Amino acid sequence: MPERFQEIIRNARARPRIPEYAQASDILQRWLSAALAGIATPEDALRNAARETRVLFGNSATQP
């Protein structure tokens, strides 16, 4: 196997086994796309993704 591929395999992690995974992934994908498209700043995108994910997991506490 090429060395780079071996490195990727060593560092690979399985997706979390949580019922909300698909929803959390959707939140992150939408905000990442918004940042890449210039619709949101990277900072705003991460802030919004974090806020939505907290709500999803039932922790609506606000973080700066």
Side-chain angles (χ1 to χ4, degrees), residues 8-31:
I8 291 169
I9 296 298
R10 275 194 308 274
N11 293 314
R13 299 292 178 263
R15 293 177 176 172
R17 291 185 182 194
I18 56 172
E20 303 88 356
Y21 178 80
Q23 292 167 285
S25 179
D26 178 66
I27 291 167
L28 188 56
Q29 287 175 34
R30 284 187 291 109
W31 285 108

Side-chain angles (χ1 to χ4, degrees), residues 19-64:
E20 303 88 356
Y21 178 80
Q23 292 167 285
S25 179
D26 178 66
I27 291 167
L28 188 56
Q29 287 175 34
R30 284 187 291 109
W31 285 108
L32 178 59
S33 293
L36 291 172
I39 297 168
T41 66
E43 294 81 5
D44 285 343
L46 286 175
R47 188 178 304 110
N48 288 323
R51 179 183 44 77
E52 288 186 31
T53 303
R54 283 190 206 96
V55 170
L56 173 65
F57 289 110
N59 178 4
S60 58
T62 332
Q63 299 288 324

